[in-house]
């Protein structure tokens, strides 16, 4: 390649008015034409469109171009597009460079068109400088292990698991708690159809349990992740249940005799369970678990267990899985609103959260479906719902939790159905009941059920002295009036927040999180289930607040993405690996420990050697190599130096 | 019409200098300047460096005697930090300096000085050099090379490198000597003794031949400076600095750390090398000479027997103090003999192969320290200030050659007067050169 | 120099592909505005940044050099940002000894979602560089 | 017929010529083959002799040292004109060398320290009469004239000089090695080298067999061209980098900074601790190389 004359074509995209509205693409193209090695420079309305792509292909042939630069959006968006264009025109796809004059220029300097023009010229000059030094590379192909790990057994994970398994791939479904089912298992009914949550969820759970391609690893957590797309090695730890899963029949006799009562997490502490327990009757797997922290080791359970399933000596077990793809569906937590003391949660017993109400409404919940005032155990006569507790609050969680408005409407309707006399007031900022059939659902609540909607933030909830009743003070912003309302009970629509383990998951899989703390997708619109780590996908609330249909859709979307990858059997990885020039390598070993992938070894002659498949191309070794013997393809020393020189030229 | 005679560069010395002799219209010598035309500012650029690195930087002051700088430097740092290294380390350092004295004195005698005597001062300049010596006296040339090699190899062994040694660190030496290495060197040291004696004989012969020149040309009175241990000639270690007056009295015998009370620098406007002088006598009366002649003059006796014999012969011929500049070459060979003898003594000392050569826990501290050793060309003083992290904040360096600058200048003045006014060169008795060109 | 004669610092930014470059894209997508003084160069990881890159930029007259990587623990390549930090802090001390104010070399961890942080950093960096004035090696003539 | 040679010393310590003399017996072979036309330390030719030679009339010129004064520049340029082949002998000439550390300050400050502030100076005065003017900064000689051969080293090892000269007598240019010092260093390295504790040269007693860098001593070996035979590490001391970088590296100091920053264990040594312990970054990594560094001197804002 070095011998051949470098002939660069530069294409400036208008991107409609996104670029052309700030800087003149024509001027940029004529500037580009003056740069060294540039043979052709053109502009076009949408380079990524068919005619745009065709223009490049034509020029490659006509002008014998051997390097292409497109000045347009971020390469993180359209680099693959234009690389394909090059490849289709018979040019090695790595002889392509993109100047990011949209995200890094016209969009961020919209009010300084003159400076933006100068910057765009600079960015094009930098790209041309790199392009002139680009070298043709061959993509590497690696095999994809046809196994998918799904982290999280909630509805998103379950939906994904079934789709992947049905496509014929092995699935490992990992769940931290003793049962799959997730948050949905805690819900009573689902909006807007008012299906019984258990009725639609539990068959799916059973399907999962029975599926020959799915292996459930409940009560398990991830310890270590190594490898890369198609070839992950995941070490998981299965916690001891002290009950042998293959022997336990789930008969429950042990729990009957267990003398220890423990507040039940599944019921949010409102009910109790035993020290040996299943979280809820339909648990999958239906295997009991001993809570050793609470167990008094009376061993009554051992005596009654006919299959002799109880084993107090059971140990933690490490399992290593080799998987090709991963779907993260770790779900969410509900904010415990202690940081909002004005609502009295945790101080006033009759202030509860929506999820607690959900359990009270459930027919198999702690009250058998009766909604009662916690202190009096009586039917509430008047209930206030407070929306956006923590959500849309700059001090706490600036985002919208998306489900609260609709579920509060659902709660109101459920209560009205049970107790038509109970008065309900919903205090809201604005009602966001989007979604198919949701707004109709909300309309009916007001019109037919007589639920009172009050627009305004509640300032304070306090106890009415000498009673168990609560005084809610708020401003009705529609009427412009202060109002004080005496109620029996307050329900807080508490924010949906990322799970505590999200950070750990993020680090294990090298993911990113968005400002809200949820996992970040690769692109907010076009790649909503991909993450920045190839082969790792995200689904459900782990990615951000969403309702059940969205969580299921995303689970199925992630499944489709994983299936597509595994179906190919192999994956192309960018050839950005580092290479050792053995002539120059002195075997100083500086590079050896730097590589996070153990890709660098030593030859028998004591020279460094890089395994190009293990190497991920970070370039840390190249920067470190004190003899200049290592270079990183596509980010070579002379390429970056040329970019820096071009950046400073004027 | 007055005129200037400019000799540029001054040759057969390792520094950069020019000689300017100013004559008036009657060809009377008005003045002679010895201008050193460059300096490299070590005292400035060691500021901010880690002290242990300064020890490795300063050898680059002189490629012929880097060992002296290395050792003066490490001594100064250890003085500043209040450290005493193990005694075996001090013996290794002593040996290193003796080794350097052997090779440097051999080099100086054969390559820089001998051509004048062997080829003759009247030979054409292109022949007045060591190459001619090697070509015409291959035996002497080979012996010179052999002696230099023994010295340099020993420097390499102890200093880690033959040029710019590295082994001295605050608290000791980085490398002990093994018994095998010691035995190897002991074998060679006897050969060095033979060669030193050969050199002494050669020196004796040329001195005899040129006695008229030596005792008449460029002779002038001055002070002398050199290290001594209770009056005994020494170049390293526990010693005081002695100063002898022109009339031969020991006028000062001071501790190294007190050098600032006795040693001062005069800045000559025409030279980047300062003129060092005896401070109590002030400038220019206090100018002195250092190096072989200085050391020989201030010492009551030599440390080793053969050298003491040679000294006696020297004194019988030229007296004490000896003011003859050209007697430097003889004094140098007397010292060469001592260095070989001393090196042998040290190699025979069982401590020299001790492995206890370095302290393990050395802590820098704030303070200043002075290190003084005798470099082949004179008394070398390094004075550093260290901060509490062991970074050099300031340095004052009195390098060997500068002691003699004023004296060299004075020799030129004296010689120039002799030559231009008295035409002494026409009257001096010159022998037939050993090498005819 | 800017059109109105005010000193406009020239900044070279070297950004990691996964976090800060994506963060800069995010700032763009969100139409956040920041001063147009910086030119970004993309590398895969902040650990690719050879100190020679930084020195070259300064030598050529850059008033500031910006290196952007992932937050600790978030590096796409596990430990790259730690390596980058150790190196760059040594380089910062070096340039200080070479007469270039250490504040001219800025290392920041900015995630893919922190477009706003990128904007804050750029605003602040440009402001600080304006206070410092042109680099002693600046090639722009007043 | 002997080859005509002119050897000059600019600002230098003469160590590289001492190293030539240290070829010992080889001298007897080399010297008679040379017709020395200038070598001020050894012969009596004067500058006017050098200037009087016809341009291009001398076969080989050898330059030791670096330009500290305007006179040095004049001599260097003169020599270039007179010589067909010019050899850069040693690190001062090739990279600027150790005196280049003065580039961290100014010549005025240096003159002041030496001639005005020095504790032993009486009647301070800066020499200005009939002395060549000092240059503001040290630059490597290659920025002043072109060379055909570079032989770095402080000093160049004797064998390299002998080989180069003997090779040139046969019309061959020397081929410098391309790898760095670890290649020829006998010290052993573990599988990976990670530094958990950084040490100053005087701290502790290093293991005599193991890699010094691995033991926490800042050894420039990995970033320094081989050729000397790893003399310093063999003598128990870390390499200070006197041979300059390998052929694929522009800035030796920057590369060693990068290497060190990469192998310190970041959990044991924070970046701040690293900087604190290194203490003198420029002096540590640019002992011999500063004038050839990408940024070659301490820069100052124009007033």
């Amino acid at each position: 390649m070095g011998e051949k004359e470098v002939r660069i074509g530069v294409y400036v995209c208008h991107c409609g008015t996104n670029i052309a509205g700030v800087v003149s693409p024509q001027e940029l193209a004529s500037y580009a034409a003056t740069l060294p090695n540039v043979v052709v420079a053109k502009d076009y309305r949408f380079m990524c469109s068919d005619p745009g792509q065709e223009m490049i292909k034509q020029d490659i042939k006509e002008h014998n171009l051997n390097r292409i630069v497109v000045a347009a959006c971020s390469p993180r968006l359209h680099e693959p597009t234009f690389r394909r264009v090059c490849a289709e025109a018979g040019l090695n796809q790595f002889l392509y460079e993109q100047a990011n004059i949209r995200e890094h220029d016209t969009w961020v300097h919209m009010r300084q068109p003159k400076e933006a023009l100068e910057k765009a010229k600079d960015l094009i000059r930098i790209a041309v400088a790199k392009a002139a030094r680009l070298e043709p590379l061959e993509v590497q192909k690696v095999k994809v292990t046809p196994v998918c790990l799904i982290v999280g057994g909630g509805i998103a994970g379950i939906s994904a698991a079934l789709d992947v398994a049905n496509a014929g791939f092995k699935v490992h479904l990992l769940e931290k708690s003793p049962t799959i089912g997730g948050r949905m298992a805690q819900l009573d009914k689902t909006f807007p159809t008012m299906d019984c949550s258990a009725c639609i969820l539990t068959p799916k759970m059973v399907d999962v349990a029975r599926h020959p391609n799915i292996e459930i690893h409940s009560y398990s957590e991830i310890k270590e992740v190594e490898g890369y797309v198609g070839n992950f090695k995941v070490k998981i730890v299965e916690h001891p249940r002290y009950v042998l899963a293959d022997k336990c029949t789930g008969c429950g006799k042990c729990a009957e005799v267990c003398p220890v009562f423990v507040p039940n997490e599944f019921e949010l502490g409102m009910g109790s369970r035993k020290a040996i327990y299943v979280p809820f009757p339909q648990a999958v797997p239906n295997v009991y678990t001993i809570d050793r922290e609470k167990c008094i080791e009376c061993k009554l359970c051992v005596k009654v267990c006919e299959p002799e399933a109880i084993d107090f000596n059971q140990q933690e077990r490490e399992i290593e899985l080799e998987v090709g793809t991963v779907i993260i569906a770790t779900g969410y937590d509900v904010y415990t609103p202690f940081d909002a003391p004005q609502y009295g949660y945790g101080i006033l017993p009759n202030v509860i959260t929506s999820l607690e109400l959900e359990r009270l409404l459930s027919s198999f919940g702690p009250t058998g479906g009766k909604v009662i005032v916690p202190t009096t155990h009586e039917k509430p006569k008047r209930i206030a719902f407070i929306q956006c507790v923590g959500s849309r609050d700059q001090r706490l969680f600036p985002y919208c939790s998306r489900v609260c408005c609709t579920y509060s409407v659902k709660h109101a309707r459920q209560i009205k159905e049970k107790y038509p006399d109970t008065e309900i007031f919903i205090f809201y900022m604005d009602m966001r009941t989007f979604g198919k059939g949701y707004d109709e659902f909300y309309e009916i609540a007001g019109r037919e059920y007589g639920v009172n909607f009050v627009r305004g933030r509640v300032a304070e909830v306090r106890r009415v002295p000498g009673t168990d009743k609560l005084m809610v003070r708020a401003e009705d912003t529609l009427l412009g009036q202060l109002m004080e309302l005496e109620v029996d009970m307050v329900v807080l629509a508490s924010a949906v927040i990322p799970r505590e383990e999200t950070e750990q998951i993020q680090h294990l899989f090298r993911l990113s999180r968005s400002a809200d703390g949820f996992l970040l997708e690769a692109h907010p619109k076009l790649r909503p289930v991909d993450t920045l780590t190839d082969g790792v996908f995200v689904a459900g609330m782990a990615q951000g607040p969403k309702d059940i249909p969205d969580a299921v859709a995303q689970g199925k979307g992630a499944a489709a993405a994983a299936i597509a990858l595994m179906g190919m059997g192999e994956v192309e990885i960018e050839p950005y690996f580092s290479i050792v020039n053995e002539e120059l390598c002195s075997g100083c070993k500086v590079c050896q420990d730097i590589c996070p992938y153990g890709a660098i070894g030593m030859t028998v002659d004591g020279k460094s050697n890089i395994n190009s498949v293990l190497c991920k191309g970070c370039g840390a070794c190249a920067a470190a190599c004190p003899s200049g013997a290592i270079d990183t393809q596509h980010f070579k020393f002379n390429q970056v130096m040329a970019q820096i020189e071009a950046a400073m030229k004027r | 019409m007055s005129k200037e005679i400019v000799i540029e560069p001054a040759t057969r010395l390792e520094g950069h200098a020019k000689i300017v002799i100013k004559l008036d219209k009657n060809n009377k010598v008005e003045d002679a300047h010895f201008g050193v035309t460059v300096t490299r500012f070590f005292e400035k650029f060691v500021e901010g460096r880690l002290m242990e690195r300064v020890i490795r930087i300063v050898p680059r002051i002189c490629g012929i005697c880097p060992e002296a700088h290395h050792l003066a430097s490490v001594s100064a740092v250890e003085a500043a930090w209040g450290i005493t290294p193990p005694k075996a380390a001090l013996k290794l350092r002593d040996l290193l300096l003796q080794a350097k004295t052997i090779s440097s004195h051999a080099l100086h005698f054969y390559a820089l000085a001998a051509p004048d005597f062997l080829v003759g001062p009247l030979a054409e300049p292109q022949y007045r050099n060591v190459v001619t010596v090697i070509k015409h006296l291959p035996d002497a040339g080979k012996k010179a090379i052999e002696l230099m090699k023994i010295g340099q190899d020993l420097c390499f062994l102890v200093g880690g490198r033959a040029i710019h040694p590295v082994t001295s660190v605050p608290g000791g030496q980085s490398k002990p000597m093994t018994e095998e290495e010691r035995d190897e060197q002991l074998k060679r040291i006897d050969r060095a003794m033979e060669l030193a004696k050969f050199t002494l004989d050669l020196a004796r012969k040329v001195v005899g031949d040129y006695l008229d020149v030596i005792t008449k040309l460029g002779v002038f009175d001055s002070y002398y400076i050199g290290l001594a241990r209770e009056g005994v000639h020494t170049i390293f270690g526990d010693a005081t600095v002695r100063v002898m007056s022109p009339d031969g009295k020991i006028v000062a015998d001071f501790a190294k750390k007190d050098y600032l009370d006795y040693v001062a620098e005069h800045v000559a406007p025409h030279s980047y090398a300062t003129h060092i002088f005896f401070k109590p006598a002030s400038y220019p009366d206090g100018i002195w000479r250092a190096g072989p002649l200085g050391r020989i003059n201030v010492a009551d006796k030599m440390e080793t027997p053969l050298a003491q014999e040679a000294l006696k012969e020297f004194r019988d011929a030229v007296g004490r103090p000896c003011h003859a500049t050209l007697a430097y070459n003889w004094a140098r060979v007397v010292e060469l003999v001592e260095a070989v003898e001393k090196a042998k003594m040290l190699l025979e000392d069982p401590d020299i192969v001790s492995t206890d050569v370095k302290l393990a826990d050395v802590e820098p501290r704030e303070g200043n320290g002075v290190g003084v050793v005798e470099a082949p060309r004179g008394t070398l003083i390094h004075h550093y200030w260290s901060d509490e992290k062991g970074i050099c904040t300031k340095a004052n360096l009195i390098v060997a050659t500068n002691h003699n600058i004023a004296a060299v200048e004075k020799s030129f003045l004296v010689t120039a007067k002799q030559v231009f006014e008295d035409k002494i060169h026409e009257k001096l008795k010159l022998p037939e050169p050993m090498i005819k060109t | 120099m800017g059109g109105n004669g005010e000193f406009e610092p020239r900044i070279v930014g070297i950004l990691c592909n996964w976090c800060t470059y994506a963060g800069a894209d995010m700032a763009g997508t969100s139409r956040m505005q920041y001063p147009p003084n910086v030119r970004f160069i993309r590398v895969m990881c902040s650990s690719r940044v050879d100190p020679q890159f930084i020195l070259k930029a300064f030598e050529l007259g850059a008033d500031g050099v910006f290196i952007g990587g992932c937050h600790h623990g978030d590096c796409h390549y596990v430990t790259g940002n730690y390596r980058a930090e150790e190196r760059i802090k040594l380089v910062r001390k070096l340039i200080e000894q070479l007469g270039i104010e250490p504040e001219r070399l800025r290392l920041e961890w900015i995630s893919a979602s922190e477009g706003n942080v990128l904007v804050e950093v750029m605003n602040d960096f440009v402001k600080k560089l304006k206070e410092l004035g042109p680099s002693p090696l600046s090639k722009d003539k007043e | 017929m002997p080859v005509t040679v002119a050897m000059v010393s600019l600002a230098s310590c003469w160590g590289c010529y001492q190293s030539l003399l240290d070829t010992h017996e080889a001298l007897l072979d080399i010297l008679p083959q040379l017709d020395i036309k200038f070598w001020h330390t050894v012969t009596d030719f004067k500058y006017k002799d050098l200037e009087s030679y016809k341009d291009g009339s001398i076969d080989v010129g050898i330059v030791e040292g670096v330009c500290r004064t305007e006179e040095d520049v004049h001599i260097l340029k003169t020599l270039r004109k007179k010589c067909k082949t010019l050899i850069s002998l040693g690190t001062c000439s090739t990279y600027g060398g150790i005196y280049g550390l003065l580039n961290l300050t100014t010549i005025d400050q240096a003159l002041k320290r030496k001639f005005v502030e020095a504790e032993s100076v009486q009647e301070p005065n800066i020499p200005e009469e009939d002395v060549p003017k000092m240059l503001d900064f040290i630059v490597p000689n290659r920025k002043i004239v072109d060379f055909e051969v570079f032989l770095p080293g402080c000093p160049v090892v004797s064998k390299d000089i002998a080989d180069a000269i003997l090779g040139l007598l046969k019309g061959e240019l020397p081929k410098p090695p391309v790898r760095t010092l670890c290649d020829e260093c006998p010290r052993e390295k573990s599988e990976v080298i990670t530094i958990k504790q950084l040490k100053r040269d005087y701290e502790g007693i290093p293991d005599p067999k193991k890699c010094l860098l691995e033991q926490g001593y800042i050894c420039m070996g990995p970033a320094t061209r081989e050729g000397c035979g790893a003399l310093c590490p063999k003598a128990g001391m870390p390499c200070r980098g006197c041979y300059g970088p390998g052929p694929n590296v522009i800035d030796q100091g920057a590369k060693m900074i990068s290497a060190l920053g990469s192998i310190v264990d970041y959990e044991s040594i924070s970046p701040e601790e690293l900087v604190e312990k290194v203490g003198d970054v420029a002096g540590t990594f640019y002992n011999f190389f500063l004038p050839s560094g990408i940024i070659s001197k301490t820069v100052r804002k124009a007033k």
Side-chain angles (χ1 to χ4, degrees), chain B residues 71-380:
Chain B
L71 296 176
S73 180
V74 75
S75 313
V77 174
E78 285 168 350
W81 291 0
I83 304 166
T84 310
K87 84 182 164 191
L90 292 173
K91 289 183 181 177
L92 283 169
R93 291 177 187 174
D94 196 351
L95 180 59
L96 178 60
L97 196 55
Q98 302 299 343
K100 173 56 0 179
T101 305
I102 295 170
S103 63
S104 174
H105 277 11
L107 170 74
H108 199 130
F109 181 77
Y110 284 102
L112 306 184
D116 285 332
F117 300 110
L118 301 178
V119 188
L122 302 179
E124 285 298 308
Q126 67 263 39
Y127 300 118
R128 222 166 40 210
N129 58 55
V130 70
V131 183
T132 312
V133 176
I134 287 174
K135 275 185 188 160
H136 292 85
L137 290 177
D139 183 53
K142 268 185 203 159
K143 284 187 168 129
I145 284 170
E146 197 182 350
L147 189 53
M148 286 192 273
K149 183 169 158 61
I150 293 173
Q152 289 296 88
D153 285 356
L154 191 51
C155 284
F156 173 81
L157 177 67
V158 183
R161 319 208 306 172
I163 302 162
H164 302 329
V166 298
T167 48
S168 295
V169 281
Q173 292 293 102
S174 67
K175 176 176 161 280
M177 185 184 287
T178 66
E179 292 187 20
E180 298 75 58
E181 288 167 342
R182 187 262 322 269
D183 296 346
E184 178 69 28
Q185 294 303 316
L186 265 178
K187 273 184 226 154
R188 300 176 70 188
I189 204 76
D190 288 334
R191 174 65 181 154
M193 200 61 242
E194 286 170 29
L195 296 166
K197 283 182 194 158
F198 169 84
T199 311
L200 188 59
D201 290 343
L202 187 61
R204 223 185 253 125
K205 179 172 177 353
V206 296
V207 165
D209 290 351
Y210 284 88
L211 198 62
D212 197 42
V213 181
I214 291 172
T215 52
K216 287 184 184 152
L217 195 68
V219 179
F220 69 97
D221 293 357
S222 74
Y223 285 80
Y224 293 94
I225 177 174
L227 274 184
R229 190 180 292 120
E230 286 166 3
V232 178
H233 178 279
T234 194
I235 58 172
F236 178 79
D238 244 351
T240 51
V241 184
R242 270 193 162 196
V243 180
M244 176 180 269
S245 65
D247 55 358
K249 291 198 190 73
I250 299 297
V251 289
D253 197 345
F254 60 88
K256 293 170 177 179
K257 67 176 170 50
D258 298 329
Y259 82 101
L260 282 172
D261 295 336
Y262 299 92
V263 181
E265 294 176 87
H266 166 79
V267 183
H270 55 269
S271 173
Y272 282 132
T274 57
H275 297 182
I276 318 291
F277 63 97
F278 184 46
K279 193 172 177 183
S282 71
Y283 188 86
D285 293 347
I287 64 171
W288 57 27
R289 282 183 271 184
L293 189 63
R295 289 188 292 254
I296 293 272
N297 275 336
V298 301
D300 299 334
K301 56 182 219 166
M302 302 302 283
E303 194 183 346
T304 57
L306 280 175
Q308 175 58 25
E309 244 175 67
L311 175 66
K312 193 167 170 299
E313 194 182 344
F314 175 89
R315 287 208 171 138
D316 288 347
V318 291
R320 180 193 186 197
C322 166
H323 292 304
T325 308
L326 292 171
Y328 258 97
N329 296 308
W330 192 358
R332 185 169 289 123
V333 181
V334 174
E335 288 195 327
L336 170 67
V337 172
E338 183 181 76
V340 176
E341 286 183 286
K342 188 74 201 282
K344 186 173 179 184
M345 279 167 58
L346 285 162
L347 284 166
E348 284 169 345
D349 185 333
D351 282 348
I352 209 76
V353 289
S354 165
T355 51
D356 177 24
V357 294
K358 184 174 179 290
L359 304 177
D361 48 350
V362 169
E363 290 277 338
R365 72 177 198 203
E366 195 181 341
N368 73 87
V370 178
V372 182
V373 302
E374 282 295 337
R377 272 153 216 78
T379 312
L380 172 61

Side-chain angles (χ1 to χ4, degrees), chain A residues 242-290:
Chain A
Y242 308 102
V243 177
L244 302 174
D246 49 351
K247 290 192 176 163
C248 176
T249 59
C251 69
K253 283 186 183 150
C254 50
E256 282 169 26
V257 299
C258 179
V260 183
F261 287 83
V262 178
N264 190 349
E265 306 80 359
F266 184 80
E267 303 293 0
L268 307 166
M270 294 185 298
S272 63
R273 61 165 170 83
K274 296 294 184 62
I276 186 163
Y277 70 105
V278 283
F280 58 95
Q282 304 92 330
V284 171
N286 192 11
V287 175
Y288 277 73
T289 302
I290 297 177

